[in-house]
Amino acid sequence: MNFKRCKLKRLDGQNPSYEKNKIMLKINNIHAQVGDNKILKGLNLQVKPGEVHAIMGPNGAGKSTLGNVLAGMEKVQVTEGSVDFLGKDLLELEIEQRASEGVFMAFQYPVEIPGVNNMYFLRAALNAQRKYRGESEMNSSVFLKLVREKIKMMNMRDDLLRRPVNEGFSGGEKKRNEIFQMSILEPKLAILDETDSGLDIDALKIVADGVNQLRNADRSFIVITHYQRLLDYIVPDFVHVLADGKIVRTGDKSLALELEETGYGWLDK
Amino acid sequence: MFKNPIDSLFEKLTNRLDEPVWLQKKRRQAFKNFQDLGLPTRKSELWKYTDVKRLERLPDVTDVAEGNEHFVFTIEGGLPKETTMSNIIDIKEANWQDIKTDKERVFVELNTAMLNSGFELSIAKNSQLKLHIQYQQISAAWENIRTVINIGENAQLDLSESYDYDCRINHVAIINAAKNSTIKLQSNKLLAKTEALIHYLKINCAKNVSVEQSTVNNNASLSHTIEDVDFNGEHCHFKAASVNVAHDSCHIAENIQTNHLVGHCKSEVIKRSLATDKGQVAINAKAVVSVAADGSDVAQSLKNILLSDDAKIYSRPELEINTDDVIAAHGSTIGELDELSLTYLRSRGIPKEQAKLMLIESFLQDANIFKLENILDLIEL
Ligand SMILES: Nc1ncnc2c1ncn2[C@@H]1O[C@H](COP(=O)(O)OP(=O)(O)O)[C@@H](O)[C@H]1O
Ligand SMILES: [Mg+2]
């Protein structure tokens, strides 16, 4: 199923005109809680194909919770609102169905899975998604070629592939492994949850490179970050401030710079 | 065998067989011992979690088994020269090995009393033998099988054994390994949920013996194993791994005791068990290191996963160490499948059931010492 990748170079902040009016993700008045702790309180967000949205905000604002709502993590309970993803009611779908529909979440804290080999896991994941979409399984030699190409791109040591998933990986290696998985699975919507935290500048550039190479007119990103730094490398179309479970401000990339200067103190006023 | 008067079955057996007087005497003595010891109770350590009444609840057995054709053998490459095999009933009295019994091992006495099938196999020194044995259930009666394998010096045995799915077997097995011999043993106990297997295994190791043993236990109304391993000579390497899976109301009990009678031997026991529905698994691993057994190396790793609320697992590692110069490691865990891992796998598109299997396969990995590719096919999940 090697579709020709759309190589269109986009002008910053502008969508190719043919996708202009289509909305990929429509989050409408989401209220969500973990246990009795109400975290999201009426959040709205729309993402069009090809757009990069940065979500910033203080610790504990609910940024990861937003990602968890989209990815389908069972510990989060949605009590109100809806999420439409490419015409489907996302909240109705199981975690694995959402992944196969093209939602990918790069976790803030990737899980270590002792005993499950990274390559085996990734191939199982890719083939499960292909099966879901009615495509044939990818045989191991084609898969191997794909993996070799991407691992090089991520500047990761190949021996990480032969190790159990994330086991004994450094913090930075875990984050890179998330982006590596994303590059193999080629999602339509990728949510990066603080992928930049704990990375030194070289690792940050590698991660940003990996993301930028995947940017195209059909693929969208929600980039959750605490620091403006990442947004120098992954230039967003929109920057949103999430505070107290809602988006309280939206702007372009200059908002990120402003936040860097002012911090979040103004939220308390 | 348990609801019916055992005595009358026993009488029938001793009156019927035309066998040497010494064996008839052994039978009578064993039967008396069995009656004196009585059935194990919950007070017996190796039956603490195993209800012997399970045997009574099995469909009734009213007859004693006959004949000696209760195995199917495949011997790869034929029997090596000077390797002999004889019917257990035909062995010389001098070759009969008495097994020390107690209330825990009382079924060994019953096995001797009711013995109806078996063999003694002596493998010539320096030879190699690859053998597959299928223990067959021919009649509706309990099979009481005794097998003795003598491995000559420097010989290598690669044995795989399996039991009929419909199995009502009391099996006493003795393996005598002469110095420098090597044993690879794969036992598949893949049984019907209504059936039973009572297995006693004794392994006697001379100097420098190497044993690798892998067992897969799947189901059975009652599958109870007691394994006693003696290191009589130094520099033995013993490794026993098992995978145990109990569904429905099945009960699997595995008890192993390694006796470091002399020093510088290594014993490693790895058990990985899963119980689901109302399934039960009881694991007992004990290592006894004698006063003089310096330089012993003992490891026990017992890991268990409960897949349902009603399942039960008992897991007990035990070390009895009577000397200072020992390396010992043991651990036992009982848990559930890791939710975070499961969610992570699913978040990449892997369906829940497949994700569970992947985690189970990885959980079993350490016990799959012969790297069986079909391990997930052998067990029911
Ligand atoms: N699993 C959880 N159990 C209990 N509270 C949680 C859990 N996850 C998040 N929270 C709480 O929800 C709030 C928002 O958390 P989170 O979405 O992780 O914030 P952010 O990612 O913006 O730092 C915090 O107050 C946090 O303590
Ligand atoms: Mg967070």
Side-chain angles (χ1 to χ4, degrees):
Chain A
M1 68 108 209
N2 275 328
F3 295 117
K4 269 223 166 83
R5 186 80 51 71
C6 178
K7 284 261 165 70
L8 215 82
K9 266 263 180 274
R10 292 187 311 105
L11 297 170
D12 226 359
Q14 304 238 287
N15 289 309
S17 55
Y18 69 94
E19 290 286 15
K20 208 172 200 164
N21 298 314
K22 212 164 131 191
I23 292 175
M24 174 186 273
L25 178 74
K26 189 172 178 180
I27 302 174
N28 184 29
N29 188 34
I30 279 293
H31 291 249
Q33 60 191 56
V34 176
D36 292 333
N37 189 1
K38 294 191 168 66
I39 301 166
L40 298 182
K41 303 165 184 170
L43 187 140
N44 296 292
L45 181 67
Q46 296 195 359
V47 178
K48 290 182 184 163
E51 289 179 348
V52 174
H53 291 244
I55 309 266
M56 302 183 75
N59 267 328
K63 302 184 297 294
S64 292
T65 304
L66 170 63
N68 289 339
V69 164
L70 297 176
M73 299 299 116
E74 282 155 356
K75 63 181 185 225
V76 187
Q77 236 184 303
V78 175
T79 52
E80 204 182 321
S82 64
V83 179
D84 181 283
F85 178 68
L86 294 169
K88 291 199 168 131
D89 179 356
L90 199 63
L91 301 181
E92 280 293 298
L93 302 179
E94 297 286 338
I95 305 173
E96 57 266 34
Q97 292 173 317
R98 298 184 196 201
S100 296
E101 291 287 346
V103 177
F104 179 93
M105 169 112 161
F107 291 98
Q108 185 173 0
Y109 304 108
V111 179
E112 295 189 15
I113 312 183
V116 176
N117 172 281
N118 224 346
M119 280 274 270
Y120 172 60
F121 153 64
L122 203 47
R123 185 156 171 244
L126 181 62
N127 280 331
Q129 293 201 13
R130 291 173 67 101
K131 190 172 169 196
Y132 179 91
R133 297 191 293 256
E135 297 161 12
S136 65
E137 284 203 351
M138 186 179 278
N139 72 39
S140 53
S141 66
V142 176
F143 178 72
L144 204 66
K145 233 177 104 185
L146 178 69
V147 159
R148 291 242 167 84
E149 176 194 320
K150 304 285 186 186
I151 194 122
K152 222 172 184 173
M153 183 181 98
M154 289 311 299
N155 210 354
M156 277 167 67
R157 301 198 318 269
D158 346 3
D159 69 293
L160 296 183
L161 288 171
R162 274 171 266 129
R163 295 239 296 265
V165 178
N166 291 323
E167 196 183 47
F169 286 32
S170 71
E173 282 170 340
K174 282 181 188 168
K175 296 300 179 78
R176 267 187 276 173
N177 194 29
E178 295 288 287
I179 302 303
F180 166 66
Q181 289 173 26
M182 178 180 81
S183 72
I184 298 280
L185 297 172
E186 303 191 317
K188 295 185 177 118
L189 171 68
I191 304 147
L192 313 186
D193 190 0
E194 298 208 21
T195 304
D196 52 335
S197 58
L199 293 187
D200 61 28
I201 192 72
D202 293 327
L204 186 80
K205 281 182 183 163
I206 290 165
V207 162
D209 253 15
V211 171
N212 287 327
Q213 289 193 39
L214 281 174
R215 275 180 86 161
N216 70 23
D218 302 321
R219 186 171 292 125
S220 310
F221 292 85
I222 294 176
V223 180
I224 296 170
T225 180
H226 213 63
Y227 305 102
Q228 186 273 334
R229 192 177 66 152
L230 178 68
L231 305 181
D232 284 340
Y233 300 97
I234 304 173
V235 181
D237 300 298
F238 301 95
V239 174
H240 308 276
V241 179
L242 203 167
D244 195 26
K246 280 197 272 284
I247 287 179
V248 295
R249 240 185 110 178
T250 292
D252 62 11
K253 65 180 180 190
S254 64
L255 176 57
L257 287 167
E258 188 191 322
L259 290 170
E260 186 87 341
E261 300 260 304
T262 60
Y264 297 104
W266 54 273
L267 283 169
D268 299 330
K269 285 173 200 150
Chain B
M1 161 154 79
F2 297 93
K3 250 183 284 181
N4 292 288
I6 284 184
D7 311 48
S8 69
L9 290 179
F10 179 67
E11 278 313 311
K12 195 174 163 191
L13 186 76
T14 41
N15 293 336
R16 187 189 63 200
L17 292 175
D18 176 24
E19 54 186 31
V21 176
W22 69 265
L23 184 55
Q24 293 202 12
K25 266 167 91 177
K26 287 263 180 227
R27 284 185 190 277
R28 281 184 212 286
Q29 183 58 49
F31 193 66
K32 186 173 179 306
N33 294 346
F34 171 71
Q35 286 177 315
D36 290 350
L37 288 166
L39 287 173
T41 65
R42 298 276 178 143
K43 285 192 193 113
S44 324
E45 202 178 333
L46 308 184
W47 295 86
K48 194 166 183 166
Y49 302 107
T50 305
D51 189 355
V52 181
K53 289 204 177 66
R54 281 174 175 268
L55 294 173
E56 287 177 13
R57 289 199 290 267
L58 293 173
D60 210 359
V61 166
T62 53
D63 207 353
V64 290
E66 280 184 72
N68 292 302
E69 307 301 318
H70 296 186
F71 314 100
V72 174
F73 297 103
T74 335
I75 299 177
E76 213 164 90
L79 268 187
K81 252 172 85 185
E82 292 167 57
T83 289
T84 57
M85 198 159 195
S86 61
N87 194 318
I88 197 72
I89 311 285
D90 298 334
I91 67 167
K92 291 197 196 82
E93 180 176 7
N95 287 355
W96 179 271
Q97 264 173 275
D98 284 319
I99 293 167
K100 200 167 161 282
T101 61
D102 50 20
K103 206 173 172 77
E104 318 274 0
R105 293 159 182 79
V106 66
F107 285 103
V108 172
E109 299 289 2
L110 193 60
N111 177 279
T112 303
M114 310 291 275
L115 186 66
N116 67 291
S117 185
F119 63 81
E120 182 181 51
L121 171 69
S122 297
I123 299 165
K125 61 180 176 189
N126 302 318
S127 62
Q128 292 178 15
L129 182 65
K130 199 167 175 182
L131 176 66
H132 175 75
I133 306 174
Q134 175 81 26
Y135 300 102
Q136 287 196 317
Q137 183 73 35
I138 304 275
S139 66
W142 273 84
E143 306 282 356
N144 286 278
I145 297 171
R146 182 182 179 105
T147 58
V148 180
I149 299 179
N150 304 309
I151 304 167
E153 284 179 19
N154 248 327
Q156 291 175 23
L157 172 66
D158 184 345
L159 171 63
S160 69
E161 54 177 17
S162 49
Y163 295 81
D164 271 1
Y165 179 69
D166 291 307
C167 155
R168 194 75 63 80
I169 292 176
N170 178 357
H171 183 190
V172 171
I174 302 172
I175 296 177
N176 299 307
K179 70 177 180 191
N180 302 326
S181 61
T182 302
I183 307 166
K184 248 181 101 173
L185 172 59
Q186 172 72 45
S187 300
N188 290 345
K189 303 173 175 177
L190 316 175
L191 308 181
K193 290 169 186 164
T194 49
E195 297 304 306
L197 172 63
I198 296 175
H199 189 195
Y200 176 80
L201 171 62
K202 176 75 194 259
I203 303 180
N204 295 306
C205 302
K207 197 174 154 185
N208 205 25
V209 165
S210 162
V211 180
E212 281 185 295
Q213 181 188 1
S214 155
T215 306
V216 181
N217 278 297
N218 188 62
N219 288 337
S221 177
L222 176 61
S223 176
H224 189 277
T225 302
I226 298 176
E227 176 171 351
D228 291 325
V229 182
D230 282 1
F231 303 121
N232 301 302
E234 295 186 334
H235 303 294
C236 292
H237 266 249
F238 176 84
K239 184 172 185 172
S242 70
V243 165
N244 308 297
V245 182
H247 283 259
D248 291 341
S249 309
C250 291
H251 183 97
I252 296 168
E254 278 226 319
N255 304 287
I256 183 167
Q257 179 167 334
T258 54
N259 296 307
H260 291 251
L261 303 168
V262 296
H264 306 287
C265 292
K266 181 173 180 171
S267 70
E268 190 180 354
V269 171
I270 303 164
K271 309 262 179 199
R272 296 290 178 268
S273 308
L274 295 163
T276 187
D277 311 320
K278 289 182 170 175
Q280 300 181 352
V281 178
I283 302 290
N284 236 310
K286 184 171 181 180
V288 180
V289 178
S290 308
V291 177
D294 286 339
S296 295
D297 187 338
V298 180
Q300 296 168 342
S301 164
L302 318 180
K303 292 189 183 173
N304 307 284
I305 288 185
L306 292 164
L307 294 169
S308 72
D309 292 342
D310 293 331
K312 285 202 174 80
I313 297 185
Y314 311 93
S315 174
R316 181 159 176 230
E318 191 183 352
L319 302 175
E320 188 186 310
I321 295 179
N322 301 300
T323 179
D324 293 334
D325 179 16
V326 169
I327 299 172
H330 71 158
S332 168
T333 59
I334 300 180
E336 292 166 18
L337 275 190
D338 183 46
E339 275 303 322
L340 282 176
S341 301
L342 198 59
T343 304
Y344 190 78
L345 294 176
R346 293 174 68 199
S347 78
R348 299 301 181 241
I350 299 170
K352 195 172 185 174
E353 286 309 308
Q354 188 186 345
K356 277 187 182 172
L357 286 183
M358 284 173 74
L359 292 180
I360 288 173
E361 191 178 15
S362 81
F363 168 72
L364 299 178
Q365 197 164 270
D366 292 342
N368 188 8
I369 54 172
F370 296 152
K371 306 262 175 270
L372 303 177
E373 278 183 17
N374 62 341
I375 187 99
L376 287 186
D377 301 332
L378 296 180
I379 55 181
E380 184 186 325
L381 286 168

